Structures are given as structure tokens and as C-alpha cells.
Amino acid sequence: MPTRQMKESLEKHLVIKPHLQNSMNQPQKLPKTAQNGKGPPAQEPPNARVHDQTSPPSKNRGRRRRRGGRKSDQGEVFMPPSSRPCTGEHKPVAGAVEADLPNGSVENGAKSCDVEMGFPSSSKCLGFAPRPGFGHLGTKCVVKANHFFTELPNKDLSQYDVTITPEVASKTVNRAIMAELVKLYKESDLGKRLPAYDGRKSLYTAGELPFARKEFNIKLVDEDDGTNGPKRERHYKVVIKFVARANMHHLGQFLAGKRVDGPQEALQILDIVLRELSTKRYCPVGRSFVSPDIRKPQRLGEGLESWCGFYQSIRPTQMGLSLNIDMACAAFIEALPVIEFVAQLLGKDVISRPLSDSDRVKIKKALRGVKVEVTHRGNVRRKYRVSGLTSQPTRELAFPVDDNSTMKSVVEYFKEMYGFTIQHTHLPCLQVGNQKKANYLPMEACKIVEGQRYTKRLNEKQITALLKVTCQRPRDREHDILQTVQQNAYDQDPYAKEFGIKISEKLASVEARVLPAPWLKYHETGKEKDCLPQIGQWNMMNKKMINGMTVSRWACINFSRSVQESIARGFCNELAQMCQVSGMEFNPEPVIPIYAAKPEQVEKALKHVYHASMNKLKGKELELLLAILPDNNGSLYGDIKRICETDLGLISQCCLTKHVFKISKQYLANVSLKINVKMGGRNTVLLDAISCRIPLVSDIPTIIFGADVTHPENGEDSSPSIAAVVASQDWPEVTKYAGLVCAQAHRQELIQDLYKTWHDPVRGTVSGGMIRDLLVSFRKATGQKPLRIIFYRDGVSEGQFYQVLLYELDAIRKACASLEPNYQPPVTFIVVQKRHHTRLFANNHRDRSSTDKSGNILPGTVVDSKICHPTEFDFYLCSHAGIQGTSRPAHYHVLWDENNFTADGIQSLTNNLCYTYARCTRSVSVVPPAYYAHLAAFRARFYMEPDMQENGSQVGGKSTRANGESGVRPLPALKENVKRVMFYC
């Protein structure tokens, strides 16, 4: 238990503001005891324990305690809002009422709970925003979803703990042990029960077993051992012990909307039961099952192939339990003879040609950790895991065969021992086993074991090949999903039968609505002053950017050897003209002549152009750098962005050689859009924003944040994660964003730098962090302080919802409180998810009025019923038109809502914002602030020094207390003029 002082300090943040009414309609009356509203508590300590609470709320909930807000440490007190056309006749909502609740109870609407340590840490304690009702806006239609209704079993489910001795790390071996146990004892000791097993520690049954605890002895015979003599045997002791019963009544109440907390244990059991048969039939990959038998594997190049299959997950929805089925695909190492694999990997004949040092490195990296089986011993197919590659060819390898250090060559050994003549002695041997006792295996005597998933990063060609396999038109995907359900034959599944689970074979039919596209405003001097997009797209013909910027001082650097100076000059002229036509003032002449440079001298070239321009301009800043890049440019693009944005303070626009030669009008128009927003301009704004007609945005100054964290690729074990936060810098238009990035601990999802404090020898305790900096930036840009916060958070999985909300909402509250006493604008916190497997299909694929050109559902299609959460505030929105394949709707989950959005309000706002993405004239699939945050986080990967990017091992080193993560080296700081604009576009 924590000390009393620790508990008191934690309780200081246990204050949740009640939901605020829309202040435009009902001005907020604050009592004299209004406080600064510090929000949900800080991150939970590891030993926090939570009691399950189902009792009524405490009677003493209204008790309040005075507490003044903290003054700013740095004197950045926000100014009172100046009068603006959209503010209306109301008082701003700031300093909302806090309620300190007895026994750690937390108030959020009608939900409460008791918390032992003074703050909530589970679903039983902190309730997410309840659904405020269903949306009504838009044209009603019916869509089909890849969800299949699942009947809730009427049997009691029991959970048992499984202990296997000696301990086994492999799930496959564990399953083999339990399969043998069930085979031997099902009819006797197991009381004819057919249990489902998770491969680790838990066993589940429909009804109880005849015992509370029992021990079994199991013998496994190695069938892969092809020797004619006795097979290898392994003996295990298995102890099965009763743990608990799953509360199916609780699950039924949750699905009916009568309880707000879902019994995860019961859902997990049902998920495991329905996965049991597929686990035996196919190869599990995460939550998917793949097999070379489901669809013929396609070669991806360099020794890889695709295995197809299906994704399966059971989900709680408004229609009850739902089985979500989707198509899936994964990359596997092809089961080839090792020599053939190496030939594919290197793309050349390895039998007649010697290997270079770089070839050996590539082979070693590709084969390390891969399982191979020997082929030189007839029926004996022993398996080994590759640990390395010899630096010498096979003909030069020898090893001691006795205590007298008598040496024997590998070639002689294989001939004498197995009668196997090694043909390709110029090739190295595979090393298997550990470094102290490594065994040599000739490449030609080995074959790669089938069924090994490839988990490293795919190259561009492999990604393209995999996308060809996975890219399916909606009609084809729907057909394959239905076929998968029929082939799985859940009605014949012995495990489903045992547990009483019945699954429909029909796609769920769901009511949906198609939200109207918003009117977009362009500049008054254009022929078209406004525009209504058609099926998610429009163009710039006859339109001018609403805020076109001026580019007077620019330069161009050409890194492409195939682009002659005259070609580059012609391209720059065409681009300048397009910028002018689109509404910018763009000087057609560069400051200095176009400079040709070699990619390997990127830093030298950039600094030369920068300084030469500065000298010519006599101290004035270069506003824009155009860079022409080779189509395959390796690290050049990243180097340019890193040097320009963190060293020189330059805004850059890169163009590939293929576009320079082609000079497409559409391409030039898109580049001009990007240049304008990078220079601080706006391409278009929502007409409703100009007219102050957006509910809960136009009434009072509102800031919209987007946040994302990108994690390093698999295998990069020490590279940091990169967090990015962007925030709107204009109001009421909410179109222009500024962004900040930071590095944090490897695979840390919580954004560490949202709010931070540190000690300064002169100023004392200093506050900072990305939220605080962006709030200050908003005030400087608009002359207003934000009185409402909308926070779109990307990249959070369902299992992390509570942790992220607790930590990041608290950081937002602290950042606000550090700026001004009693400054606590109401917050709406929305998680955006794209990595899910819900797909929506047109009810009738032949009806052209209900689909776009690609056969997908229309942009603006929103679903908030039937397949959505039973009680929480979520919805699916397909805001974009499809191009190829099946569109994936974005899933928005409103976790916290102090602004009291209606379903229509947040859905239409989100859909409308998707038409304000600056880089193209199309609506996009994810709300732009979240999209921009993702782009900014991805951009920041380039800021790490090049040697760090190669191996990832050096990303650490110097620690800093400022970002709270010892061992994580901070990213180089962005230059001030870069931070203010949308540099990541």
C-alpha cells in the first residue's frame, strides 16, 4: 500500500468535470466555488488495485473543496478573448466545477466506482462517454457488414489453470501435449468434456470437469524423427486445476445495454473456443489463420511467398455477439532448398559464381533464425535453426574429431558418415546450434521448413506483390468472406457444438446514412468561389486558393543525373505558373541558377545553395527550396528533410524525376497545394466554418488536435517510438495546423511529452510540452485562447483505451492549468482506428447509385447502430471514395466528451473535416488532424542520424530528464519557422 502522502498527492488529480452543456444554447453558470478542474488522474502506478464496484453511487457526491489554479511559471497568461464575429452573446466555459468524491469515487455522467488508491485504472472505474443517441442526418440506406450474428451459449463455462512440467515455451508443443491428454482421457477422467485450450495456461470447458484438481502424465513421441529405430520420446506432467466460472448472465446484460462494463473473460473464452478447430487446421498468425491450401501461394520475390486465409474475432455489438470475419494474407519464407532460396534472394546464379562479402551478409541476415531440415539422410528429417554462416567456403572448413585435435574436413566427414558428396564446395556452410558448439551444414543438404512466417520488413517490390494478392474489389471480397464462413462450417465445429455456440452464415444487414458533402470556399477572385464535391472529389479548375501565399525567394537543386538543366528549368517554370494560376504569387525566377549536385554530397550541396542564396539576398531568408530527386533515391529524401528542417530552417519540396519529365497538370496542381500550406497558406475552408455554422466549433474559440505515435519496424529492438501532435492554428476555419514531434521509449504508446516540467536554475520550475506549446501558438496566431478542445488520437488499440485516456487527458488538463488560473476548457477525446477488420458493402452491387466508381460504398457513409458497441459512443465512417480494393471505414470511438456532442454533431464534423485535407482535392479516409500527426511522426524518423537508422542500436545513448525517458536521445529541434507551418505535407 502507498504511503498517506503518496495517496494524497494522487487524489489531487481525482477530479472529473461533469459534462458541460452547449454554452451557446445554455450559458454555464459557475458557482462561487469554481475550481481549476484538473481532470482524470495521472498514470496509474504498477501496484494500483481496483475493486469491482456495482453498488449505487455515494450519497455525498455533491461535496466540493476549494482549490485555486496555479499561475503560469513563465508569464504566458492567456489574454481574455477579443470580440470575434463567431463568439456570440455568451460566457466562455472555463474553470468548470470539480467534485471531490468520497472514497475515491469518480463522477462521469451517472457512473461511479470506489478506487483503493484514489484513481481509476480499469473499465469498472472510469466509464467512457455513453452513446448520446443515434444520428439522423443524411440519406438513409442499407449496407452489409462482415459481421455474423452469434447466439450466446446457455451453458456455464468453466476455466481451469494448466501447468506443464517441464515448462514449454512453444504453443505448438503445448497444444500437442493437451491434444494427447484429451485423446487419452476425454472419455474417462475428463467426463466426456471436449475442452478448449489457449496454448498457454488456461483450459475452458462447457460445464465442470469431474475434479477440482488432477495430475496427468503425458508422453509425446517425435514423429518427425525418421530413424528406423525407436522414436524420441518426451515426458510431461500436466496439472489441471479449477479457477472460476464465466458469468454468461453478465455478458448477456452487457450485450443488452444493461451494463456498461463488458466481461472480458467470457468473451475471451468464446473467442478461444471458436479458434480451436482453425488452430488445428491452419497456421495462426496473430488473430488470423492462413494456409497454402486455402489459396495457391503467390511468389513475392527474394524467396518469399504469400499465404492467404481469414481473420476471425468475436465482438460485442448492439445486435449481440458478432463474429467478425475478413480475408487475410501474410508473407512466408518459401519452403525451398536453401541453394534455390539463396539464388532467389540474390537474384543470380550462385552455383557457378563465387559469393561476394555483401552477398554473404545478405544471406546471413535472411537465414538467421530460420528453421531448416536436412535432406541428405533419407527419411531422417532432423530440423535445426540457423544461427549463422561460415566466412569460409565449405572446401576450407575442418573440425576436430577427437581429443587429439585430429582435423577432418566437412567434405570428408559428409562422404564418410552419410555417403553424401558435396558438389558446391565454393559455397559457405550454414551454422546451426550455439556459438560454442556450432555444427556445419552444407547448403545443398538443407531445405527450409514449411510454414515460417516472415516478420522482417518487406521491400517495395514485395509490398507491391503482396498488395496485388490482397487487393480485392468489394464484390469479390464479400464472396470470399461468405465462402470462408461456409467452408469453416461452424455448425459442424465440434467445439462450437460442445459449448452451444451457433453462428449465422449471413452478412449482417445494417442501416446506414450517407452524409452530405460540405460546401468548400475558395477565393473570391476565382471563377468558382465555392464548390460542392461530387462523390468525394473535385478539382482546382477555375478556383483559387482562399489564402494563397507569396514565394519571392526560392532556389532549386537537382540531384538527378538524367535531368538536364533545361528540363529542370522548364519544370520549375511550369510549377511556378501553376502556383500563380492556383492563387499564389510565385516569382518565376530563382534566386540563383539551378544547382546540380550528387546525391552522396547532399549536405554539402544544401549548405552551398543556402549560403549562396543568403549572400545574393543580403541576409534575407530563402523561402522555399525545390529539390529534384532520382526515382530510386535511397536515404536522399530523408537526408534533405532532416538537414532542411532541423539545421537550415528551410521549407523544401521534393519532386521525382519521372514527374519532372512527364509534367502532368494534375501533379503540378497537387504540388502547388502542398507548397501553399508549407508556406503557411490555406487552400480551401469549409463554407460552414466561414459562416459560423458548425455546432460546438463556431460558437467559441475551438482548437482541434491530432496525435499519433509510430513505432519502429519489427526487429529494430532499440529504436525509439516517435510521437507527433498537431493542432489547428486558425479559428473559426480550423484548417491550418502546426505540428511538434518527439522521440520516446521503444514501443511506448503513451505520449510522454504532452506536458512536462523541469527545474531551471534561474526560473525555477518550468512548464512545457507539446500541448502547452500548441495552445500558446494558437493564442498567438488567433488572439484567442481556446475555450474548447477536440482531440483526435490515432493508433490506439482497444486494450490501451483506458491507459491512454487516463494519462493523456490528465496531461491536457495540466498543460491548460499551467497557462492560466482556472483555465480548463472542456475536452472531447476521440480515438481513430484504421487497423480493424470491419468492412461495409453495398446492399446491391448492381445498383450504381449506391456505389462509387470502384464499387465501394459512397463517401460519407456512416454506421452507428447494430455492429457498433452496445453502450459506448462509437461509429464507423467511410469518408472517402474508393480507388482500388475494398474501402476500409475509419472507426471513431469517443472516449470522453465534456462538450456534449450529439451523434450527428461529431459525425458531421468529422466527415466535413475529411474534405479539408491540404494535399489533394479528394476527401480522405481519416480525419485530417490525425492524418497530419501520422505524417509528422513518420517524417521525424528521418531526423535520427543515418547510422542510427541502419541498425537501430545507437538510438538511445544520451538520456534527458526533459522528456522523462532515460536512455532516449531527443530528436534534433525543429527550427522555429518550420514549426509554425505544415512542414510534414
Side-chain angles (χ1 to χ4, degrees):
M1 288 296 292
T3 64
R4 181 177 177 183
Q5 291 88 343
M6 180 181 176
K7 186 172 181 178
E8 286 175 353
S9 70
L10 291 169
E11 284 177 339
K12 285 181 182 178
H13 291 296
L14 186 65
V15 279
I16 309 295
K17 296 187 297 181
H19 286 276
L20 300 165
Q21 299 300 317
N22 182 347
S23 55
M24 195 167 187
N25 302 323
Q26 297 180 1
Q28 186 79 18
K29 293 181 180 179
L30 302 177
K32 293 179 181 178
T33 53
Q35 296 115 15
N36 72 0
K38 291 179 186 174
Q43 186 182 9
E44 65 188 74
N47 61 344
R49 299 210 320 266
V50 182
H51 291 303
D52 188 349
Q53 168 71 21
T54 54
S55 58
S58 169
K59 293 178 182 178
N60 298 324
R61 146 166 309 173
R63 184 170 63 87
R64 299 188 179 93
R65 181 172 53 186
R66 288 182 186 268
R67 190 185 304 124
R70 214 157 43 96
K71 290 187 179 179
S72 167
D73 300 303
Q74 296 165 295
E76 291 175 337
V77 177
F78 273 16
M79 300 181 300
S82 59
S83 59
R84 288 284 296 266
C86 296
T87 51
E89 298 279 335
H90 64 277
K91 292 183 180 179
V93 184
V97 181
E98 300 172 337
D100 274 8
L101 309 177
N103 301 322
S105 294
V106 179
E107 184 170 30
N108 177 18
K111 300 169 188 172
S112 70
C113 68
D114 289 341
V115 185
E116 184 171 281
M117 279 195 62
F119 60 88
S121 60
S122 85
S123 61
K124 300 182 180 71
C125 291
L126 177 64
F128 293 149
R131 190 180 298 283
F134 298 94
H136 301 287
L137 287 178
T139 305
K140 289 185 179 179
C141 64
V142 174
V143 296
K144 289 177 285 186
N146 57 339
H147 286 244
F148 297 84
F149 177 69
T150 304
E151 268 187 46
L152 197 65
N154 55 6
K155 301 184 178 183
D156 287 331
L157 308 186
S158 300
Q159 178 183 352
Y160 291 82
D161 180 73
V162 174
T163 306
I164 298 175
T165 311
E167 192 173 338
V168 177
S170 165
K171 271 189 174 185
T172 305
V173 176
N174 280 341
R175 289 186 187 281
I177 294 166
M178 294 307 296
E180 184 69 12
L181 188 150
V182 171
K183 178 181 165 186
L184 293 174
Y185 298 105
K186 179 189 172 186
E187 298 298 320
S188 54
D189 297 54
L190 298 182
K192 298 187 177 181
R193 302 275 184 213
L194 180 63
Y197 176 53
D198 71 352
R200 291 291 184 212
K201 294 284 292 178
S202 297
L203 191 77
Y204 304 101
T205 59
E208 293 183 14
L209 294 173
F211 55 83
R213 184 187 185 281
K214 198 168 184 67
E215 187 177 306
F216 298 88
N217 291 303
I218 301 297
K219 177 177 70 177
L220 272 193
V221 179
D222 190 352
E223 298 296 339
D224 286 337
D225 190 353
T227 56
N228 296 324
K231 310 280 187 186
R232 284 190 298 176
E233 293 180 355
R234 286 170 290 176
H235 296 265
Y236 300 94
K237 182 174 79 173
V238 181
V239 176
I240 298 176
K241 185 172 65 175
F242 176 78
V243 174
R245 291 182 191 85
N247 191 337
M248 300 310 291
H249 175 67
H250 183 166
L251 177 58
Q253 285 189 311
F254 170 67
L255 293 170
K258 296 176 182 177
R259 292 186 71 120
V260 294
D261 56 323
Q264 292 303 316
E265 300 82 6
L267 288 167
Q268 187 180 359
I269 293 171
L270 298 176
D271 199 50
I272 289 166
V273 168
L274 289 175
R275 296 173 65 81
E276 187 73 30
L277 189 61
S278 293
T279 301
K280 288 178 166 59
R281 287 178 177 171
Y282 309 119
C283 176
V285 176
R287 304 200 66 78
S288 299
F289 298 98
V290 295
S291 167
D293 302 324
I294 293 176
R295 199 197 297 178
K296 185 180 177 182
Q298 301 293 313
R299 283 194 164 175
L300 303 178
E302 298 190 9
L304 303 186
E305 64 181 6
S306 64
W307 282 21
C308 291
F310 60 95
Y311 166 92
Q312 173 181 300
S313 176
I314 201 155
R315 300 186 61 79
T317 65
Q318 291 168 31
M319 68 178 186
L321 276 182
S322 159
L323 191 66
N324 181 201
I325 301 284
D326 192 20
M327 305 318 295
C329 203
F332 278 72
I333 303 170
E334 198 172 347
L336 297 168
V338 168
I339 284 186
E340 196 177 326
F341 172 84
V342 169
Q344 278 200 32
L345 178 72
L346 301 178
K348 66 181 185 183
D349 175 20
V350 295
I351 292 175
S352 57
R353 295 182 183 181
L355 298 177
S356 66
D357 289 341
S358 61
D359 289 337
R360 292 174 192 275
V361 170
K362 193 170 184 181
I363 295 167
K364 186 176 180 179
K365 283 179 73 175
L367 286 176
R368 184 182 288 150
V370 173
K371 271 188 182 179
V372 295
E373 59 184 10
V374 295
T375 58
H376 64 286
R377 297 180 61 187
N379 292 331
V380 178
R381 291 280 174 156
R382 284 275 168 87
K383 295 182 176 67
Y384 301 89
R385 197 174 292 279
V386 178
S387 58
L389 194 72
T390 62
S391 56
Q392 300 163 287
T394 304
R395 60 172 169 254
E396 296 177 15
L397 291 172
F399 59 96
V401 290
D402 55 31
D403 294 338
N404 298 323
S405 296
T406 305
M407 302 299 287
K408 180 170 286 190
S409 74
V410 170
V411 174
E412 289 174 344
Y413 176 81
F414 272 81
K415 182 67 177 173
E416 292 175 12
M417 189 73 181
Y418 306 111
F420 181 79
T421 304
I422 300 173
Q423 301 287 334
H424 311 299
T425 58
H426 67 288
L427 294 174
C429 275
L430 303 179
Q431 289 178 295
V432 296
N434 56 41
Q435 290 181 344
K436 291 182 180 178
K437 190 182 178 183
N439 294 315
Y440 300 137
L441 288 178
M443 282 190 181
E444 63 197 86
C446 299
K447 182 186 175 186
I448 291 171
V449 174
E450 187 181 50
Q452 296 181 78
R453 190 183 170 208
Y454 185 78
T455 57
K456 295 167 190 167
R457 186 175 188 172
L458 300 175
N459 62 36
E460 284 189 21
K461 287 184 179 178
Q462 291 166 338
I463 291 170
T464 302
L466 189 62
L467 286 174
K468 281 184 181 177
V469 177
T470 58
C471 186
Q472 288 181 291
R473 292 290 189 196
R475 185 199 297 259
D476 299 330
R477 196 181 196 99
E478 181 186 326
H479 174 267
D480 284 359
I481 288 169
L482 285 167
Q483 194 174 45
T484 297
V485 172
Q486 289 166 4
Q487 286 174 348
N488 286 349
Y490 294 104
D491 58 332
Q492 301 299 317
D493 183 339
Y495 295 94
K497 280 184 174 180
E498 172 83 8
F499 284 78
I501 303 171
K502 294 179 182 177
I503 295 161
S504 167
E505 290 192 349
K506 292 182 180 179
L507 290 158
S509 187
V510 185
E511 288 184 4
R513 290 166 289 114
V514 181
L515 300 177
W519 280 89
L520 303 176
K521 183 76 178 77
Y522 282 92
H523 200 274
E524 291 293 323
T525 58
K527 287 183 181 177
E528 294 183 24
K529 299 173 180 58
D530 47 40
C531 163
L532 181 63
Q534 301 297 315
I535 314 183
Q537 51 193 318
W538 64 103
N539 58 50
M540 284 295 291
M541 286 178 63
N542 301 322
K543 303 176 191 70
K544 289 187 183 292
M545 300 156 175
I546 193 160
N547 294 114
M549 300 303 287
T550 299
V551 178
S552 303
R553 303 180 297 277
W554 62 277
C556 177
I557 185 166
N558 178 13
F559 288 104
S560 178
R561 288 174 185 163
S562 58
V563 176
Q564 295 173 339
E565 185 184 350
S566 59
I567 301 288
R569 197 164 55 243
F571 173 79
C572 290
N573 286 338
E574 292 281 349
L575 180 58
Q577 285 180 31
M578 180 58 76
C579 288
Q580 289 167 350
V581 168
S582 300
M584 295 179 69
E585 289 185 28
F586 202 103
N587 184 350
E589 292 300 321
V591 172
I592 60 172
I594 294 171
Y595 183 74
K598 295 178 181 178
E600 55 270 22
Q601 295 180 332
V602 55
E603 186 166 3
K604 181 181 176 183
L606 289 171
K607 289 184 176 178
H608 168 81
V609 169
Y610 176 76
H611 292 301
S613 300
M614 293 288 278
N615 290 337
K616 185 84 178 286
L617 294 168
K618 297 177 180 176
K620 287 185 180 177
E621 287 190 352
L622 190 65
E623 294 168 328
L624 176 68
L625 177 72
L626 296 177
I628 297 171
L629 276 53
D631 293 332
N632 297 313
N633 56 73
S635 65
L636 178 59
Y637 175 85
D639 290 339
I640 290 171
K641 296 301 180 184
R642 172 174 53 83
I643 296 163
C644 285
E645 290 160 10
T646 67
D647 186 5
L648 302 178
L650 270 180
I651 300 299
S652 60
Q653 177 61 53
C654 295
C655 305
L656 293 178
T657 297
K658 61 184 178 183
H659 297 304
V660 171
F661 279 115
K662 192 177 178 183
I663 312 189
S664 148
K665 294 288 184 188
Q666 182 64 59
Y667 173 75
L668 292 175
N670 283 350
V671 173
S672 68
L673 295 176
K674 295 171 73 172
I675 289 174
N676 190 47
V677 295
K678 287 179 182 181
M679 302 307 297
R682 292 182 297 197
N683 298 331
T684 184
V685 297
L686 297 169
L687 191 60
D688 278 356
I690 295 286
S691 309
C692 301
R693 291 198 300 259
I694 302 178
L696 296 179
V697 172
S698 300
D699 56 339
I700 55 175
T702 299
I703 187 170
I704 300 182
F705 285 93
D708 189 22
V709 178
T710 63
H711 302 293
E713 297 284 342
N714 288 334
E716 294 182 33
D717 295 333
S718 54
S719 293
S721 292
I722 305 288
V725 180
V726 305
S728 59
Q729 298 294 289
D730 53 348
W731 180 83
E733 298 88 352
V734 290
T735 301
K736 190 160 67 173
Y737 292 81
L740 296 171
V741 291
C742 70
Q744 56 188 43
H746 178 75
R747 298 219 163 264
Q748 167 67 265
E749 184 59 47
L750 304 177
I751 302 177
Q752 300 301 298
D753 265 10
L754 286 182
Y755 175 74
K756 59 186 179 182
T757 58
W758 63 95
H759 182 75
D760 182 272
V762 178
R763 294 182 293 173
T765 301
V766 181
S767 297
M770 293 193 283
I771 295 290
R772 192 180 195 279
D773 290 351
L774 290 167
L775 289 170
V776 170
S777 177
F778 179 95
R779 194 260 296 168
K780 286 178 180 175
T782 64
Q784 306 269 347
K785 62 179 179 182
L787 298 179
R788 179 184 291 115
I789 293 174
I790 300 170
F791 195 92
Y792 285 99
R793 177 64 157 90
D794 195 7
V796 181
S797 64
E798 288 179 13
Q800 297 171 308
F801 278 5
Y802 291 97
Q803 191 183 15
V804 168
L805 178 64
L806 285 167
Y807 184 89
E808 295 184 5
L809 189 51
D810 181 58
I812 295 169
R813 294 274 175 80
K814 287 175 178 174
C816 292
S818 74
L819 284 165
E820 186 178 287
N822 301 318
Y823 176 58
Q824 284 297 327
V827 179
T828 297
F829 194 106
I830 308 154
V831 166
V832 188
Q833 292 176 307
K834 282 288 282 182
R835 290 188 176 182
H836 61 80
H837 286 270
T838 292
R839 299 292 183 273
L840 302 175
F841 305 101
N843 192 45
N844 180 3
H845 291 286
R846 295 195 183 103
D847 181 6
R848 294 299 174 196
S849 66
S850 65
T851 61
D852 61 22
K853 289 179 183 177
S854 68
N856 279 288
I857 55 173
L858 294 170
T861 302
V862 65
V863 169
D864 61 2
S865 63
K866 205 163 183 180
I867 60 170
C868 292
H869 194 279
T871 59
E872 291 168 13
F873 190 0
D874 71 326
F875 58 93
Y876 291 95
L877 172 64
C878 182
S879 52
H880 66 298
I883 298 175
Q884 59 180 356
T886 304
S887 296
R888 188 197 313 240
H891 187 207
Y892 296 91
H893 210 121
V894 183
L895 299 189
W896 195 259
D897 182 26
E898 293 168 338
N899 290 298
N900 280 357
F901 271 100
T902 62
D904 280 330
I906 197 67
Q907 289 166 14
S908 60
L909 170 64
T910 303
N911 184 58
N912 291 353
L913 286 173
C914 289
Y915 286 79
T916 65
Y917 185 62
R919 304 207 303 178
C920 61
T921 52
R922 297 176 65 92
S923 60
V924 288
S925 60
V926 174
V927 69
Y931 205 147
Y932 294 145
H934 176 77
L935 291 176
F938 190 77
R939 168 67 57 82
R941 287 247 161 245
F942 298 129
Y943 299 160
M944 294 186 290
E945 292 174 21
D947 59 319
M948 295 178 180
Q949 292 184 36
E950 287 301 317
N951 55 30
S953 60
Q954 297 300 312
V955 183
K958 184 181 175 184
S959 65
T960 170
R961 292 192 180 186
N963 67 6
E965 290 292 339
S966 60
V968 177
R969 181 178 293 177
L971 295 171
L974 289 167
K975 293 294 181 181
E976 284 302 316
N977 63 322
V978 173
K979 278 196 285 191
R980 291 194 297 268
V981 297
M982 295 163 71
F983 64 93
Y984 40 82
C985 281

